[in-house]
Structures are given as structure tokens and as C-alpha cells.
Coordinates of all heavy atoms in Angstrom, one line a residue:
Y235 N -2.4 -141.9 -7.6 CA -1.3 -142.3 -6.7 C -1.5 -143.6 -6.0 O -1.1 -143.9 -4.9 CB -1.1 -141.2 -5.6 CG -0.4 -140.0 -6.1 CD1 -0.8 -138.7 -6.0 CD2 0.9 -140.2 -6.7 CE1 -0.1 -137.6 -6.5 CE2 1.6 -139.1 -7.2 CZ 1.1 -137.8 -7.1 OH 1.8 -136.8 -7.6
G236 N -2.3 -144.5 -6.7 CA -2.5 -145.8 -6.1 C -1.1 -146.6 -5.8 O -1.1 -147.3 -4.9
F237 N -0.1 -146.3 -6.7 CA 1.2 -147.0 -6.5 C 1.9 -146.5 -5.2 O 2.9 -147.2 -4.8 CB 2.1 -146.7 -7.7 CG 2.5 -145.3 -7.9 CD1 3.8 -145.0 -7.4 CD2 1.7 -144.4 -8.5 CE1 4.2 -143.6 -7.5 CE2 2.2 -143.1 -8.7 CZ 3.4 -142.7 -8.1
T238 N 1.5 -145.5 -4.6 CA 2.1 -145.0 -3.3 C 1.4 -145.5 -2.1 O 1.8 -145.2 -1.0 CB 2.2 -143.5 -3.2 OG1 0.8 -143.0 -3.1 CG2 2.8 -142.9 -4.5
G239 N 0.3 -146.2 -2.3 CA -0.5 -146.7 -1.2 C -1.9 -146.1 -1.1 O -2.7 -146.5 -0.3
A240 N -2.2 -145.1 -1.9 CA -3.5 -144.5 -1.9 C -4.5 -145.5 -2.4 O -4.3 -146.3 -3.3 CB -3.5 -143.2 -2.8
D241 N -5.8 -145.4 -1.9 CA -6.9 -146.2 -2.3 C -7.5 -145.6 -3.6 O -8.0 -144.5 -3.6 CB -7.9 -146.2 -1.2 CG -9.1 -147.2 -1.5 OD1 -9.2 -147.6 -2.6 OD2 -9.9 -147.5 -0.6
A242 N -7.4 -146.4 -4.7 CA -7.9 -145.9 -6.0 C -9.4 -145.5 -5.9 O -9.9 -144.7 -6.7 CB -7.7 -146.9 -7.0
D243 N -10.2 -146.1 -5.0 CA -11.6 -145.9 -4.8 C -11.8 -145.0 -3.6 O -13.0 -145.1 -3.0 CB -12.3 -147.2 -4.7 CG -12.2 -148.0 -6.0 OD1 -12.4 -147.4 -7.0 OD2 -12.0 -149.2 -5.9
S244 N -10.9 -144.2 -3.2 CA -11.0 -143.4 -2.0 C -12.3 -142.6 -1.9 O -13.0 -142.6 -0.9 CB -9.8 -142.5 -1.8 OG -9.9 -141.8 -0.6
L245 N -12.6 -141.8 -2.9 CA -13.7 -140.9 -2.9 C -15.0 -141.7 -2.8 O -15.9 -141.4 -2.0 CB -13.7 -140.0 -4.1 CG -12.6 -138.9 -4.1 CD1 -12.8 -138.0 -5.3 CD2 -12.6 -138.1 -2.8
A246 N -15.2 -142.8 -3.6 CA -16.3 -143.6 -3.5 C -16.5 -144.2 -2.1 O -17.6 -144.3 -1.6 CB -16.3 -144.7 -4.6
R247 N -15.4 -144.6 -1.6 CA -15.4 -145.2 -0.3 C -15.8 -144.2 0.8 O -16.6 -144.6 1.8 CB -14.1 -145.9 0.1 CG -14.2 -147.1 1.0 CD -12.8 -147.7 1.2 NE -12.2 -148.1 -0.1 CZ -12.5 -149.2 -0.8 NH1 -13.5 -149.9 -0.4 NH2 -11.9 -149.4 -1.9
I248 N -15.4 -143.0 0.7 CA -15.7 -141.9 1.6 C -17.3 -141.7 1.6 O -17.9 -141.6 2.6 CB -15.0 -140.6 1.3 CG1 -13.5 -140.8 1.6 CG2 -15.6 -139.4 2.0 CD1 -12.6 -139.7 1.1
V249 N -17.8 -141.6 0.3 CA -19.2 -141.4 0.2 C -20.0 -142.6 0.8 O -21.0 -142.4 1.5 CB -19.6 -141.2 -1.3 CG1 -21.1 -141.2 -1.5 CG2 -19.0 -139.9 -1.9
E250 N -19.5 -143.8 0.5 CA -20.2 -145.0 1.1 C -20.1 -145.0 2.6 O -21.2 -145.3 3.3 CB -19.5 -146.2 0.5 CG -20.1 -147.5 1.0 CD -19.2 -148.7 0.6 OE1 -18.4 -148.6 -0.3 OE2 -19.5 -149.8 1.1
R251 N -19.0 -144.6 3.2 CA -18.8 -144.8 4.6 C -19.6 -143.6 5.4 O -20.0 -143.8 6.5 CB -17.3 -144.7 5.0 CG -16.5 -145.9 4.4 CD -16.8 -147.2 5.3 NE -16.3 -147.0 6.6 CZ -15.1 -147.2 7.1 NH1 -14.2 -147.5 6.2 NH2 -14.8 -147.1 8.3
T252 N -19.7 -142.5 4.8 CA -20.2 -141.3 5.5 C -21.6 -140.8 5.0 O -22.2 -139.9 5.7 CB -19.2 -140.2 5.3 OG1 -19.2 -139.7 4.0 CG2 -17.8 -140.5 5.8
G253 N -22.0 -141.3 3.8 CA -23.2 -140.8 3.3 C -23.1 -139.3 2.9 O -24.0 -138.6 2.9
A254 N -21.9 -138.9 2.4 CA -21.7 -137.5 2.1 C -22.5 -137.0 1.0 O -22.8 -137.7 0.0 CB -20.1 -137.4 1.8
T255 N -22.8 -135.7 1.0 CA -23.4 -135.0 -0.1 C -22.3 -134.6 -1.0 O -21.2 -134.1 -0.6 CB -24.1 -133.7 0.4 OG1 -25.1 -134.2 1.3 CG2 -24.7 -133.0 -0.7
V256 N -22.5 -134.8 -2.3 CA -21.4 -134.6 -3.3 C -21.8 -133.3 -4.0 O -22.8 -133.1 -4.6 CB -21.3 -135.7 -4.3 CG1 -20.2 -135.4 -5.4 CG2 -21.0 -137.0 -3.6
L257 N -20.8 -132.3 -4.0 CA -20.9 -131.0 -4.6 C -19.9 -130.8 -5.7 O -18.7 -131.2 -5.4 CB -20.8 -129.9 -3.6 CG -21.9 -130.0 -2.4 CD1 -21.5 -128.9 -1.4 CD2 -23.3 -129.8 -3.0
P258 N -20.2 -130.3 -6.9 CA -19.2 -130.2 -7.9 C -18.3 -129.0 -7.8 O -18.7 -127.9 -7.2 CB -20.0 -130.1 -9.2 CG -21.3 -129.4 -8.7 CD -21.5 -129.9 -7.3
L259 N -17.1 -129.1 -8.2 CA -16.1 -128.0 -8.4 C -15.6 -128.1 -9.8 O -14.5 -128.7 -10.0 CB -15.0 -128.0 -7.4 CG -15.4 -127.6 -5.9 CD1 -14.2 -127.8 -5.0 CD2 -15.8 -126.1 -5.9
S260 N -16.3 -127.7 -10.8 CA -16.0 -128.1 -12.2 C -15.3 -127.1 -13.0 O -14.9 -127.3 -14.2 CB -17.3 -128.5 -12.9 OG -18.3 -127.5 -12.8
V261 N -15.1 -125.8 -12.5 CA -14.6 -124.8 -13.3 C -13.1 -124.7 -13.1 O -12.6 -124.7 -11.9 CB -15.2 -123.4 -12.9 CG1 -14.5 -122.3 -13.7 CG2 -16.7 -123.4 -13.3
T262 N -12.2 -124.7 -14.1 CA -10.8 -124.6 -14.0 C -10.4 -123.1 -14.3 O -10.8 -122.6 -15.4 CB -10.0 -125.5 -15.0 OG1 -8.7 -125.2 -14.9 CG2 -10.5 -125.4 -16.4
Y263 N -9.5 -122.6 -13.5 CA -9.0 -121.2 -13.7 C -7.6 -121.2 -14.2 O -6.9 -120.2 -14.3 CB -9.1 -120.5 -12.4 CG -10.6 -120.1 -12.1 CD1 -11.3 -121.1 -11.3 CD2 -11.3 -119.0 -12.5 CE1 -12.6 -120.8 -10.9 CE2 -12.6 -118.7 -12.2 CZ -13.2 -119.7 -11.4 OH -14.6 -119.5 -11.1
R264 N -7.1 -122.4 -14.6 CA -5.8 -122.6 -15.2 C -5.8 -122.7 -16.7 O -5.0 -122.0 -17.4 CB -5.1 -123.8 -14.6 CG -3.8 -124.1 -15.2 CD -3.3 -125.5 -14.8 NE -3.0 -125.6 -13.4 CZ -3.1 -126.6 -12.7 NH1 -3.6 -127.8 -13.2 NH2 -2.8 -126.6 -11.4
C265 N -6.7 -123.5 -17.2 CA -6.6 -124.0 -18.6 C -7.3 -123.1 -19.6 O -8.4 -122.7 -19.3 CB -7.1 -125.4 -18.7 SG -6.3 -126.6 -17.6
P266 N -6.8 -122.8 -20.7 CA -7.5 -122.1 -21.8 C -8.6 -123.0 -22.3 O -8.7 -124.2 -22.1 CB -6.4 -121.9 -22.9 CG -5.1 -122.1 -22.1 CD -5.3 -123.1 -21.0

């Protein structure tokens, strides 16, 4: 959604600004 004004690097910028711990959510319960 960069074309709506969202920052394409938002997540990386969040980690950089906050020192956040990154945890995965990798399992999809939708797709076969």
C-alpha cells in the first residue's frame, strides 16, 4: 500500500527505531 501513503519500509523502520524483537507467524490456516 505504498501508493496510499504507507511507508514501504515500515517494518524495518519500526525495528530500527525501537530495537524490537522479531517473532515469526509463518503458518497459514487459509491456504491448501
Side-chain angles (χ1 to χ4, degrees):
Y235 281 127
F237 69 95
T238 67
D241 184 349
D243 296 315
S244 177
L245 293 184
R247 210 174 307 281
I248 290 168
V249 174
E250 177 186 351
R251 296 283 298 276
T252 65
T255 300
V256 180
L257 302 173
L259 288 171
S260 54
V261 178
T262 172
Y263 292 88
R264 171 192 296 148
C265 301

